[in-house]
Amino acid sequence: MAPTQGIGLAEVARVAGVSVATVSNALNRPEIVAVATRDRVFEAIRELDFVPNRAAATLRRGTNHLIALFVPEVANAFYSEIVSAVADEAARHDFVIGLCVTHDEPEREVFFANSLAEQRAAAAIVVPITADAPRLSQLRRVGTRLVLLDRIAANADGCSVGIDDVLGGELAVRHLLSSGAAAVTLVNGPHSVQQCADRHAGALRALAAAGLPASALHEIVVDAMTVDAGRRVGRQLAAGPNRPAVFCVNDQLAVGIIGGLREHGVDVPSQALVVGYGDQSLALDGPVPLTSVAQPTHQMGVEAVRCALAEVNEGAEHVHRTVQLRPRLVVRGSAPAIPEPGRGAPAR
């Protein structure tokens, strides 16, 4: 049945036996309407096949039910999981998301931000790789409420949701040390990426707690944190004199390193240990299930939407907040918790 033309809030109110204001609240602020009353309103909406005029509501309210989500890419499973979590939580509150794939390019970010300002988007959730202050200021200047995701804000300019990546790095290296390693190879991305710098700091913290010098951490920095880059590093490590204990800044690198080591006859875990970061689906797809530091990705997306909606609903009363979630270690075959009898020792 096609939506009935000319039906308005007044007709819905008449059928439901409530005021027009109550119908408006049921549509726009359902949490303040009694459940029984809300049910009557929505029953009338179904009976009349009423379609709310969102465009008119947007003009009255100054914003619409659109939350923008800025991500660098969607091929990476971490970002696709974020998209899914944000979309699901937004839908629970009668909001939709507009996906903006930025490729971490400032020009694309500003283009999207200006477009969202024209559409009166309620808020923007931004997953930045390089979140320098001038770029974020550009986004804030267009007037859209901004929540940083996968990044803890350095100031009080907005809400942010992130992971304690220093703790994550510490968990990974502590596990390798407890499995018999006395030196660790960290395969990392550029330190200009905050997560890479934080995971490096966590690795050093684990070494210090174990009474080991910072020189026990050998760092290899790659430009691209991909499976192919990891495979090249794995071949490099296989050619060395020792059998390594490796902490990778993400799971893609870890999977590649395991492949590169195995190509050159180095068995994981009997001759080398490998720990990844992210606990993505590919952690289970390889020949050796990957020990990895798990991030609460779904919870991150949920918390980011809640921060955005709190700012929308609270207006000038809103106080920005920072949510920092804890990672956890998931132990699998690439770095078992207890060394198996007869296993060759990692590098010392």
Side-chain angles (χ1 to χ4, degrees), residues 35 41 73 101 103-104 106 120 124 129 142-144 150 168 173 197 200 221 227 268 279 288 317 332:
V35 173
V41 170
E73 59 169 302
V101 182
H103 303 296
D104 202 41
R120 296 190 172 117
I129 292 180
V142 303
T144 299
D150 195 33
V173 172
H200 175 266
V221 176
V227 172
V268 177
D279 196 35
V288 182
E317 306 272 326
R332 300 190 182 95

Side-chain angles (χ1 to χ4, degrees), residues 186-189 195-196 199 225 247-251 253 276-277:
L186 169 62
V187 184
N188 204 357
Q195 291 90 335
C196 296
R199 293 167 197 178
M225 293 177 279
F247 167 40
C248 300
V249 77
N250 70 10
D251 285 347
L253 285 168
Y277 204 106

Side-chain angles (χ1 to χ4, degrees), residues 16-98:
V18 298
S19 69
V20 171
T22 298
V23 175
S24 178
N25 284 334
L27 290 169
N28 298 300
R29 301 173 64 198
E31 70 280 1
I32 70 170
V33 180
V35 173
T37 304
R38 198 166 62 215
D39 288 346
R40 290 209 312 276
V41 170
F42 284 108
E43 179 59 34
I45 285 172
R46 284 190 291 272
E47 180 181 330
L48 295 169
D49 204 16
F50 169 66
V51 178
N53 187 340
R54 291 294 188 199
T58 294
L59 290 173
R60 291 193 301 272
R61 195 171 52 239
T63 59
N64 63 27
H65 276 227
L66 171 67
I67 295 176
L69 174 60
F70 288 55
V71 293
E73 59 169 302
V74 289
N76 185 311
F78 172 76
Y79 297 121
S80 62
E81 289 169 11
I82 287 288
V83 171
S84 177
V86 169
D88 287 349
E89 182 64 14
R92 287 186 62 246
H93 298 276
D94 197 26
F95 278 71
V96 297
I97 67 164

Side-chain angles (χ1 to χ4, degrees), residues 91-234:
R92 287 186 62 246
H93 298 276
D94 197 26
F95 278 71
V96 297
I97 67 164
L99 183 60
C100 305
V101 182
T102 67
H103 303 296
D104 202 41
E105 297 173 2
E107 297 80 7
R108 289 174 68 90
E109 289 175 351
V110 173
F111 167 76
F112 285 133
N114 286 328
S115 299
L116 292 164
E118 292 173 2
Q119 297 175 48
R120 296 190 172 117
I125 296 171
V126 180
V127 186
I129 292 180
T130 51
D132 56 279
R135 286 173 67 174
L136 295 177
S137 295
Q138 280 185 302
L139 295 179
R140 289 190 174 101
R141 272 198 295 271
V142 303
T144 299
R145 301 166 182 91
L146 182 63
V147 175
L148 289 186
L149 179 55
D150 195 33
R151 183 65 55 92
I152 297 301
N155 51 47
D157 284 347
C159 293
S160 62
V161 179
I163 299 293
D164 188 345
D165 282 307
V166 176
L167 174 61
E170 183 179 12
L171 290 174
V173 172
R174 186 196 305 164
H175 177 71
L176 289 169
L177 298 177
S178 71
S179 296
V184 172
T185 297
L186 169 62
V187 184
N188 204 357
H191 284 213
S192 58
V193 177
Q194 188 61 49
Q195 291 90 335
C196 296
D198 286 349
R199 293 167 197 178
H200 175 266
L204 291 176
R205 194 163 77 180
L207 291 173
L212 295 172
S215 59
L217 183 70
H218 171 56
E219 185 175 26
I220 299 173
V221 176
V222 297
D223 291 331
M225 293 177 279
T226 62
V227 172
D228 286 342
R231 188 171 288 112
R232 289 191 292 271
V233 173

